[in-house]
Each structure stands twice: as structure tokens, then as C-alpha cells.
Amino acid sequence: MENTLIEKQLKAAADLNRIKLLACMKNGEVCVCDFVDVLGISQPAVSQHLRKLKEAGIITERKVGTWKHYRLVEEQTPLMKGILEQIQPLTGCNCETDCCHVGGNSNE
């Protein structure tokens, strides 16, 4: 593993808000709208935290309508496997609103 990747991953995992994001994603894919509620910070601030995790190769995203959904990358480095094993999953990170459903109905 390259030293630059190690540095990026350690920096990405060394923030309490990003640890909470990772804890949410341990249960599966999460919509960005749910992270705002969990962290209690603005959507742009959440996006910055997610960007750092993505740049470090820890998470991936997919677009659903106008919303992005994030999940952990399946193949983690040994360093991140060890870190993720120490993070307890956080519940309550599931989309409970229509914000991430395309158009809010099942016809789209």
C-alpha cells in the first residue's frame, strides 16, 4: 500500500463526523439526506466529509434521481479493515422520507 493512500485513509478516519458516517454505512447504503439528520450539520458540510472518505477510497457513491447514496467499498485495505472493525454500526441511518425516492412515487 502506498504511503499517500495510508495518509489519506488515516486522515479521513481521524474525524468524529467521518467516523459517524462510516458507522452509518456499516449497515449498508445510505442516502446523503440521512447523514444530515444523523450529524446535525449542513448538507454542504456532510458533502465535504463524504468527499474526503471517497478520495481515500473508503466509500463509493451512486446517484438515485437527484440524491446520492453512499456505501463502504467492498474491498478495503488491511488498514481500513482494522479501523472499520473497531467502529460500532450506527442505527437510524435509513431513509425514512421521500427525499431520495425519484419523484416521490414508484412510477419513475
Side-chain angles (χ1 to χ4, degrees):
M1 182 169 29
E2 291 181 32
N3 286 339
T4 55
L5 179 59
I6 292 171
E7 181 182 7
K8 281 184 180 183
Q9 290 187 336
L10 286 173
K11 283 182 178 181
D15 179 271
L16 183 58
N17 282 325
R18 289 193 285 273
I19 290 171
K20 288 179 183 177
L21 293 174
L22 294 172
C24 279
M25 288 182 267
K26 284 193 81 169
N27 291 321
E29 191 173 78
V30 182
C31 178
V32 68
C33 64
D34 294 309
F35 292 134
V36 172
D37 293 335
V38 169
L39 296 181
I41 60 177
S42 70
Q43 192 276 328
V46 168
S47 292
Q48 290 300 314
H49 286 297
L50 290 166
R51 181 182 55 80
K52 288 191 183 287
L53 291 169
K54 187 176 173 196
E55 287 175 354
I58 301 168
I59 65 170
T60 187
E61 69 181 29
R62 73 179 179 96
K63 196 167 183 176
V64 178
T66 58
W67 295 95
K68 290 185 180 177
H69 289 236
Y70 294 86
R71 63 178 168 82
L72 295 171
V73 171
E74 288 185 33
E75 293 294 321
Q76 296 289 343
T77 62
L79 172 67
M80 281 312 302
K81 282 181 186 177
I83 291 171
L84 289 168
E85 286 174 4
Q86 299 303 311
I87 298 173
Q88 295 297 316
L90 188 61
T91 58
C93 303
N94 302 338
C95 191
E96 297 178 5
T97 66
D98 287 337
C99 67
C100 60
H101 301 290
V102 180
N105 70 49
S106 59
N107 292 332
E108 292 188 48

